[in-house]
Amino acid sequence: MIKILQINSYSGIGGGEMVMFNIIESLNNSFDFVIVAPKGEFLGKYREMNLKIYQICRQSNFSNILKIRKIVKREKPKIIHCHGTRAAFWSRLAVLGLKNRPRTVYTLHGFHLIRKSGYIKWLFVLIEKLLNYWTDVLVCVSEADKKAVLEYKTISPKKVVVVKNGIDIEKFQVNPDLVKRTREDLNLQNKFVLISIGRLHPPKDFPTLLEAIKIIRENYSEIWKNLILLIVGDGPLRELLEDKVRNLGIFSYIYFLGFREDVPLLINLSDLVILSTKWEGLPLVPIEAGAGRKPVIASDVDGVRETIIDRKTGYLFKSAQDLAEKILAIYENEDLRKEMGENGYQFVLKNFNREKMVEEYKKLYQFAK
């Protein structure tokens, strides 16, 4: 079997990490995968799969470059598949000057370096352009990212492909009796439940979501008394967000659940999924909402637009006021919720299923060897 080094700079719960896991879980019998990643939830899953693992330090750039170079010399993989900009930075520097250099597949998971300010952005763009000389295939997860990559001319267009993220849709088909029992256990049977899923860090725009909840509290009493917001995820901004919730006077209606393994169940017991974010590659949350037949309201930004059909599978929003009004519109119309949920399911089934994504990566691996 072809040996592939899978390299990631993060092993916590995130979109890029889930995509990497889905690839490995689906193709484990077809390829010899070796994992290089920091400590985190997914590293435990790879151990359960009896995969060979090399643990690295998330922040230590120089030592990780040296360690990856040693791993490449020892394992002699045919392909290195790096996920995200940081892992790609380490990997491409690690193979400089090596004889029989492995082919490099680099999944971008969002062209976020162009969000930097001033000269720092252009320095990162220059570094990316130089290192892409050692990139054999650059995978963009959205058409928006491909457009940006080509606009900034960081790599030859011949090396760029688009493979959109996919999920295991079957995991989101949860037994209705379990959903009903769980809502009863949590005293949610008479509540309108919103759910927002994501790492609590700056790119995710949770403050705008919380401002929208405040607007609802002040202006829409008919929904306020029935509303509950579940925030699923953890991260460095959790304490600040909890303080903001207290200061806004909405603490009793917001539940911070932290990291959870039962996201499919939580989506199924909710009435509406919300993604408030500053930027994305191709987010999984709207796709997961569709898999669970739930409507979604999400920020009107690149990447997100490719996962939602506005006014058919959900709504795109531009401000806290806009978000509050669209939450109210979905709250007031149960038929609309059901219609959007079913539309979302069909949209995801056709465009974002895991089997389609995995098959495209399998072809890339076979071509790259």
Side-chain angles (χ1 to χ4, degrees):
M1 289 193 292
I2 300 170
K3 181 178 285 189
I4 302 175
L5 218 60
Q6 293 275 357
I7 304 178
N8 208 322
S9 64
Y10 185 60
S11 290
I13 301 300
E17 294 68 43
M18 181 61 74
V19 168
M20 175 173 154
F21 176 76
N22 280 332
I23 294 168
I24 293 168
E25 184 181 48
S26 300
L27 297 177
N28 192 29
N29 293 325
S30 302
F31 299 93
D32 181 12
F33 290 118
V34 177
I35 311 300
V36 180
K39 183 179 180 181
E41 289 84 2
F42 278 111
L43 217 58
K45 295 179 185 293
Y46 296 134
R47 288 196 178 95
E48 292 173 4
M49 295 165 66
N50 295 317
L51 295 174
K52 194 168 192 178
I53 295 170
Y54 291 93
Q55 188 171 320
I56 54 176
C57 203
R58 185 161 190 250
Q59 300 294 339
S60 184
N61 290 329
F62 185 68
S63 66
N64 283 341
I65 293 166
L66 294 179
K67 188 166 186 178
I68 291 170
R69 188 176 182 87
K70 289 179 181 177
I71 295 167
V72 171
K73 287 181 176 179
R74 182 181 304 137
E75 295 292 338
K76 296 180 173 56
K78 288 287 186 182
I79 297 170
I80 292 175
H81 186 175
C82 38
H83 296 263
T85 305
R86 183 176 298 184
F89 175 75
W90 299 335
S91 303
R92 291 172 297 180
L93 285 177
V95 301
L96 290 180
L98 287 182
K99 276 189 174 183
N100 301 315
R101 176 182 67 84
R103 305 276 283 177
T104 298
V105 176
Y106 166 19
T107 299
L108 194 55
H109 294 301
F111 196 34
H112 302 321
L113 60 86
I114 61 173
R115 315 293 177 187
K116 305 289 184 182
S117 59
Y119 72 91
I120 295 177
K121 177 180 82 170
W122 292 108
L123 175 62
F124 280 137
V125 168
L126 177 60
I127 292 171
E128 189 76 355
K129 187 177 293 188
L130 292 171
L131 291 180
N132 271 334
Y133 179 80
W134 292 277
T135 300
D136 297 287
V137 180
L138 178 68
V139 180
C140 294
V141 296
S142 67
E143 295 292 344
D145 272 355
K146 179 182 177 181
K147 181 180 178 182
V149 163
L150 297 180
E151 181 182 335
Y152 281 85
K153 299 179 180 178
T154 60
I155 193 169
S156 167
K158 295 178 181 179
K159 294 183 175 182
V160 182
V161 299
V162 175
V163 179
K164 293 195 175 184
N165 296 338
I167 63 169
D168 184 353
I169 296 171
E170 188 59 33
K171 286 184 178 179
F172 292 83
Q173 311 316 302
V174 181
N175 187 307
D177 291 335
L178 175 59
V179 173
K180 182 180 178 182
R181 287 198 307 270
T182 306
R183 281 187 68 108
E184 290 172 351
D185 291 344
L186 297 174
N187 293 319
L188 298 175
Q189 58 266 47
N190 296 315
K191 299 295 183 180
F192 184 68
V193 182
L194 315 179
I195 186 168
S196 186
I197 305 161
R199 189 161 180 255
L200 309 185
H201 68 148
K204 301 298 184 186
D205 189 16
F206 282 99
T208 294
L209 170 56
L210 298 179
E211 289 291 343
I213 299 301
K214 179 189 175 186
I215 290 169
I216 290 172
R217 186 199 69 178
E218 293 175 345
N219 297 282
Y220 305 115
S221 58
E222 67 271 27
I223 178 177
W224 177 245
K225 61 181 180 294
N226 296 321
L227 184 144
I228 292 291
L229 169 62
L230 309 178
I231 294 180
V232 180
D234 220 330
L237 297 185
R238 177 164 180 168
E239 188 174 335
L240 288 174
L241 291 171
E242 289 178 335
D243 287 343
K244 184 175 180 67
V245 165
R246 292 187 188 94
N247 293 335
L248 292 174
I250 56 177
F251 190 78
S252 299
Y253 299 84
I254 314 293
Y255 297 166
F256 286 87
L257 302 185
F259 165 72
R260 297 286 295 240
E261 293 272 11
D262 57 349
V263 167
L265 172 60
L266 293 174
I267 285 177
N268 272 268
L269 66 78
S270 70
D271 297 291
L272 172 61
V273 179
I274 298 177
L275 173 64
S276 184
T277 184
K278 295 176 182 176
W279 60 78
E280 293 286 340
L282 191 92
L284 294 184
V285 170
I287 300 171
E288 292 172 341
R293 290 181 168 86
K294 300 297 176 180
V296 59
I297 306 177
S299 301
D300 188 5
V301 297
D302 284 344
V304 173
R305 298 187 189 106
E306 295 177 41
T307 62
I308 293 175
I309 304 175
D310 193 29
R311 301 181 180 276
K312 186 172 182 181
T313 66
Y315 289 121
L316 296 168
F317 75 88
K318 296 181 181 295
S319 66
Q321 179 67 42
D322 190 23
L323 173 56
E325 291 172 1
K326 284 170 177 172
I327 291 173
L328 181 65
I330 289 181
Y331 169 78
E332 291 179 331
N333 193 332
E334 184 177 356
D335 290 339
L336 178 65
R337 293 201 297 271
K338 291 179 179 178
E339 181 182 344
M340 284 182 163
E342 186 56 39
N343 289 340
Y345 178 76
Q346 297 300 329
F347 181 56
V348 168
L349 195 64
K350 181 179 179 181
N351 297 283
F352 302 106
N353 66 79
R354 183 169 77 162
E355 290 74 20
K356 181 179 180 180
M357 176 191 74
V358 167
E359 187 58 32
E360 292 186 47
Y361 274 108
K362 184 177 182 180
K363 291 177 183 177
L364 278 182
Y365 292 156
Q366 291 169 335
F367 173 77
K369 70 178 181 177

